[in-house]
Amino acid sequence: MQQGEIHAWHYASRKPVKVRWRDGVMVAMEAVEAEPPSNLWIAPLLFDLQVNGFAGVDFQRDNLTVDQLLAATRALQGSGCARYLLTLITDEWPRLTNRLKRLRQLRSSSPELEWAIAGWHVEGPFLSAEPGFHGAHNPALMLDPAPEHIRELRAIADTDPLLLTIAPERQGALEAIALAASLGIRVSLGHTNASAEILRQAVVAGATGFTHLGNACPQQLDRHDNILWRVLDTRGLTVSLIPDQIHVSPALFRLIHRALPGDSICYITDAMSAAGAPPGQYTIGSLNVEAGEDQIVRQPGALNYAGSALRPIDGVFRAAQMLGRAWEEVWDCFSIRPARFAGFDIDLLCGRAADFCLLQFSQGESSVQVELIVRGAGAGRGDKFQATVTSR
Ligand SMILES: [Zn+2]
């Protein structure tokens, strides 16, 4: 029997709590008078909707092994992110679908992976092939979505949570969105130059998200009418942002937070294999990229970014820094909000799985360091993963 108790500061109430769990389930969460150590905080898991690879492991590879998948997953957990949607990017349709089938098989061989890989995010090939909008995806492989594509994805993923990023201006996309929504697939718009009217129609058809706003668009935009303004002027979408201080400039990051309702923003890493790994040469599928000391991932010679090298826990602190807020005020954006968007409730509540992050702050000479522990009791384990964050 696995049980335990933690006395810490609650990240949302900022008050002392005692949390008890038994057999992987939280059985008590009491507000108490006694103060815990001032540096010890409890918060829900981080949950990432978009991970293409991590710690040197590229999820787009067809020769991926269970051990590599486990290594990447544990490294992510060491960054506070216990669960995620494994993300597959544009490829030839049969290769993409075979990759998804194979990854599901790999995942099924490990209870640890079954729990951590909460579902799948298919980003492409139903995206814009326009310059700038396709980003690092190969425009030659883009397709118009047909109903058979959507049904095939649903059949392969079975009942797994599935998120599809799609450009709604593609031929047949609005019908595909409606079909996907009816089959329980969550639809996020992205890599798109859709008009305001098509964005609105996509929301009516059932789209609920917008993928990495501020990216997958050209460097130069029309000041009067561009995809940023159109999305900011569209209601009904949960917008994901990459909070690494690189993909979205700090000023734009703040403006997006002012323009949108607070509960409609969530953070993602869009991490690729260079995240949680040293600078160097990496791949995203067939694409060779390089990650510099500045953590910017680029195709050699190209200006656009190709995924990020961001760790989830760093994203929380960088977002807080950009907004001039405390980390605990932005935590939900990388935690319960993206989880809810994907269909999971991970709030700290009695009766829920005893999965949480425990943050221990220590004051270094010139920086604040955070020790972070993820207790993945939901997977039947009691593992602790530790990461250190140095404030920038
Ligand atoms: Zn993308």
Side-chain angles (χ1 to χ4, degrees):
M1 190 172 76
Q2 192 192 54
Q3 58 183 342
E5 177 181 287
I6 279 175
H7 181 203
W9 296 91
H10 188 282
Y11 83 112
S13 69
R14 298 177 175 175
K15 298 213 164 95
V17 288
K18 271 197 180 157
V19 178
R20 276 192 286 280
W21 67 91
R22 196 182 309 129
D23 296 334
V25 176
M26 272 191 263
V27 292
M29 160 89 66
E30 297 163 8
V32 293
E33 288 286 313
E35 293 196 355
S38 61
N39 64 343
L40 194 63
W41 293 74
I42 188 167
L45 305 175
L46 298 180
F47 191 107
D48 198 334
L49 296 171
Q50 194 163 347
V51 185
N52 312 284
F54 205 80
V57 179
D58 179 3
F59 296 158
Q60 320 300 315
R61 293 257 154 189
D62 289 322
N63 55 359
L64 207 63
T65 64
V66 170
D67 284 346
Q68 288 171 323
L69 212 44
L70 275 168
T73 296
R74 288 172 184 163
L76 255 175
Q77 292 175 327
S79 301
C81 175
R83 308 187 75 185
Y84 63 100
L85 299 188
L86 188 150
T87 303
L88 294 177
I89 67 165
T90 300
D91 206 336
E92 289 165 23
W93 183 251
R95 295 188 67 175
L96 179 61
T97 50
N98 282 333
R99 198 166 289 148
L100 180 56
K101 284 180 200 161
R102 185 163 185 275
L103 281 161
R104 280 194 87 243
Q105 274 174 1
L106 291 180
R107 187 183 70 153
S108 68
S109 65
S110 156
E112 193 176 336
L113 291 176
E114 288 268 14
W115 182 72
I117 302 173
W120 315 96
H121 182 168
V122 176
E123 192 196 28
F126 316 120
L127 307 176
S128 170
E130 277 188 60
F133 293 96
H134 64 72
H137 296 244
N138 184 349
L141 300 180
M142 301 300 187
L143 288 181
D144 289 328
E148 307 83 72
H149 292 127
I150 305 300
R151 291 189 202 284
E152 190 179 356
L153 278 182
R154 181 74 283 173
I156 294 169
D158 199 12
T159 56
D160 293 349
L162 190 55
L163 173 62
L164 177 66
T165 290
I166 191 167
E169 68 270 37
R170 288 208 74 102
Q171 190 79 33
L174 293 173
E175 294 78 5
I177 291 168
L179 175 62
S182 75
L183 297 174
I185 299 173
R186 283 173 175 77
V187 178
S188 193
L189 310 175
H191 288 265
T192 170
N193 190 22
S195 67
E197 177 55 22
I198 289 180
L199 290 176
R200 194 190 63 73
Q201 289 175 9
V203 173
V204 171
T208 55
F210 194 93
T211 298
H212 54 49
L213 183 63
N215 297 109
C217 61
Q219 296 274 324
Q220 309 285 330
L221 294 170
D222 185 318
R223 66 178 178 174
H224 293 294
D225 179 29
N226 62 60
I227 191 65
L228 281 171
W229 302 165
R230 288 175 224 142
V231 173
L232 291 173
D233 198 32
T234 302
R235 285 295 172 263
L237 295 173
T238 294
V239 167
S240 69
L241 302 172
I242 306 170
D244 61 355
Q245 304 185 346
I246 299 164
H247 280 77
V248 182
S249 72
L252 179 57
F253 194 78
R254 288 188 284 276
L255 288 168
I256 291 172
H257 281 75
R258 280 185 215 146
L260 293 177
D263 60 357
S264 61
I265 293 174
C266 66
Y267 303 153
I268 54 166
T269 58
D270 195 12
M272 43 74 69
S273 53
Q281 309 289 322
Y282 293 91
T283 63
I284 309 179
S286 56
L287 204 66
N288 292 311
V289 295
E290 54 193 19
E293 291 285 347
D294 54 8
Q295 288 197 324
I296 296 181
V297 182
R298 286 197 173 94
Q299 290 173 258
L303 280 176
N304 63 303
Y305 306 143
S308 88
L310 180 68
R311 299 186 313 159
I313 187 64
D314 293 317
V316 171
F317 288 90
R318 291 192 199 178
Q321 193 175 50
M322 283 189 279
L323 296 172
R325 293 190 198 157
W327 66 269
E328 57 270 34
E329 292 177 65
V330 301
W331 188 270
D332 284 351
C333 288
F334 222 140
S335 173
I336 59 176
R337 260 187 231 157
R340 213 171 274 160
F341 180 76
F344 296 87
D345 275 323
I346 59 167
D347 307 50
L348 295 177
L349 290 173
C350 280
R352 296 265 169 82
D355 305 321
F356 44 79
C357 289
L358 198 63
L359 293 95
Q360 284 178 286
F361 291 80
S362 62
Q363 191 73 43
E365 279 194 1
S366 60
S367 64
V368 177
Q369 294 199 317
V370 180
E371 215 180 356
L372 189 139
I373 301 167
V374 176
R375 184 169 287 274
R381 314 185 321 271
D383 296 346
K384 293 182 179 183
F385 300 90
Q386 301 197 340
T388 300
V389 179
T390 304
S391 67
R392 285 152 56 98

